[in-house]
Amino acid sequence: MIEDWSEFNVAMAGATAALAGLVIVAASVNIGEIVKSRTLTARLLAGIAALLLALAVSALGLVPGIDALWLGSMTLVAALLASASQIHATVLIARDPDPADRARPLKYLVGFLPIAAYFVAGVFVVLGHPAGLYVAAAGCLLAIVSAIVVSWVALVEVLR
């Protein structure tokens, strides 16, 4: 079952690695302004962490002979590690004193969606449920979308 996903995993490992690099380069252009913000650096880190989560799970799916228990367990560990960055960003966003910030719940949700998908995927894969790999694919795509949204918003906020 895992071997059937090798082409997808190759494509997603390459895409997420390239996108993580691009986000870092894009952020470095305005790093002086970004670090002045209480939340932007944490949000960018969480976006990069989501991409690294997608990269790690895709790469693990390419390990020859990996079994479902190992892949599911490592997916859960990787999701747990990525969640630390998102939790940190969420705490900073929640403490942001700007009263005009009405989009706080959206900022939380965007970051947690891929992580939640990978947690569900990890559990399903450990249990041997075939939907686990489909949920992992959704998590990968959500990580890409989430990172692009967070990066775009961060870069636009810096230029305001």
Side-chain angles (χ1 to χ4, degrees):
M1 166 170 79
I2 296 170
E3 297 83 25
D4 295 341
W5 286 85
S6 64
E7 288 185 41
F8 178 84
N9 285 330
V10 167
M12 291 302 101
T16 55
L19 187 53
L22 286 172
V23 169
I24 291 168
V25 169
S28 70
V29 171
N30 292 312
I31 196 68
E33 293 300 314
I34 290 171
V35 296
K36 291 177 186 176
S37 167
R38 294 188 64 217
T39 64
L40 285 181
T41 52
R43 288 165 45 200
L44 283 169
L45 176 60
I48 293 167
L51 288 172
L52 293 177
L53 169 60
L55 171 60
V57 174
S58 296
L60 284 167
L62 294 170
V63 173
I66 193 166
D67 65 6
L69 180 61
W70 182 248
L71 178 60
S73 298
M74 291 295 96
T75 298
L76 290 169
V77 168
L80 182 63
L81 292 172
S83 70
S85 294
Q86 185 57 45
I87 290 167
H88 175 67
T90 299
V91 168
L92 289 179
I93 293 166
R95 290 182 181 163
D96 191 3
D98 186 0
D101 190 0
R102 295 184 186 105
R104 286 183 187 160
L106 182 59
K107 290 177 183 178
Y108 306 157
L109 184 62
V110 166
F112 279 114
L113 284 175
I115 295 168
Y118 276 113
F119 273 120
V120 171
V123 170
F124 279 3
V125 171
V126 164
L127 296 174
H129 196 289
L133 296 175
Y134 289 97
V135 177
C140 186
L141 297 175
L142 286 168
I144 290 170
V145 170
S146 173
I148 289 171
V149 168
V150 166
S151 301
W152 177 257
V153 168
L155 294 174
V156 168
E157 283 185 20
V158 164
L159 295 176
R160 284 189 197 189

